[in-house]
C-alpha cells in the first residue's frame, strides 16, 4: 500500500499469495485482511501529519517538467525492456524510469533511484545536457 503500486485488490492478492506460499497452514485470506487493515490504519495516522506538499508531490511536478522537455517518464515500469520499447516507438529526447523495487527502496530508505537515458537508450553521463536538465528539474522542486 505504501508504494502506491497496484489496486487494493492486487495488493490483497499479492499478500494472500505470499502467505499461502510461506505459511500454508494459515488462513491466508483473514490474515491478509488483518495485516492490510493494520497497515492502512498506520498509513492514515502517519499521513495525517504530512505537510500539504509531500516529496511525492514535488517528484510528480519534477517529472512533469521533464515531460515538457521531451523526456518520457516511466514510473514503476517492469524493467529496462519497457524503457527500450518506448525508445524504439516514440523517439523521445530522453527516458527517465524506475522499477517497483526502486519504489520499495524509496519507501524503506527515502531515496528513489531514477534511471536516465538518452532517447537512444544510452546512459547519460556527467556533463550531458540531459543530466543537467534532469538535475535542475529535481532541484527546482526541492529534490
Amino acid at each position: 500500500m505504501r508504494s502506491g503500486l497496484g489496486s487494493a485488490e492486487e495488493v490483497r492478492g499479492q499478500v494472500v499469495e505470499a502467505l499461502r506460499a510461506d505459511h500454508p497452514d494459515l488462513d491466508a485470506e483473514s490474515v491478509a485482511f488483518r495485516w492490510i487493515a493494520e497497515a492502512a490504519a498506520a498509513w492514515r495516522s502517519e499521513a495525517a501529519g504530512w505537510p500539504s506538499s509531500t516529496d511525492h508531490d514535488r517528484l510528480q511536478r519534477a517529472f512533469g517538467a521533464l515531460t515538457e522537455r521531451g523526456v518520457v517518464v516511466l514510473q514503476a515500469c517492469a524493467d529496462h525492456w519497457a524503457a527500450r520499447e518506448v525508445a524504439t516507438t516514440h523517439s523521445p529526447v530522453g527516458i527517465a524510469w524506475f522499477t517497483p523495487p526502486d519504489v520499495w527502496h524509496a519507501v524503506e530508505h527515502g531515496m528513489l533511484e531514477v534511471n536516465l537515458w538518452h532517447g537512444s537508450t544510452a546512459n547519460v553521463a556527467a556533463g550531458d545536457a540531459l543530466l543537467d536538465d534532469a538535475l535542475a528539474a529535481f532541484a527546482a522542486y526541492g529534490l
Side-chain angles (χ1 to χ4, degrees), residues 38-55:
E38 289 169 0
W43 177 85
R44 283 190 299 276
S45 176
E46 183 181 324
W50 290 349
S52 60
S53 180
T54 65
D55 287 344

Side-chain angles (χ1 to χ4, degrees), residues 98-122:
F98 56 90
T99 66
D102 295 325
V103 173
W104 281 111
H105 185 264
V107 168
E108 294 173 8
H109 302 286
M111 193 251 345
L112 177 65
E113 178 180 325
V114 177
N115 296 283
L116 183 61
W117 288 349
H118 290 283
S120 66
T121 71

Side-chain angles (χ1 to χ4, degrees), residues 40-140:
W43 177 85
R44 283 190 299 276
S45 176
E46 183 181 324
W50 290 349
S52 60
S53 180
T54 65
D55 287 344
H56 181 264
D57 298 325
R58 290 187 292 279
L59 182 63
Q60 294 310 308
R61 288 193 288 275
F63 285 155
L66 288 174
T67 299
E68 289 175 7
R69 293 180 174 115
V71 175
V72 172
V73 178
L74 302 176
Q75 298 188 49
C77 70
D79 54 36
H80 72 280
W81 294 109
R84 286 193 184 279
E85 177 69 20
V86 166
T88 60
T89 58
H90 293 85
S91 302
V93 168
I95 305 163
W97 60 277
F98 56 90
T99 66
D102 295 325
V103 173
W104 281 111
H105 185 264
V107 168
E108 294 173 8
H109 302 286
M111 193 251 345
L112 177 65
E113 178 180 325
V114 177
N115 296 283
L116 183 61
W117 288 349
H118 290 283
S120 66
T121 71
N123 286 320
V124 297
D128 281 352
L130 182 58
L131 178 58
D132 293 341
D133 286 348
L135 292 174
F138 292 131

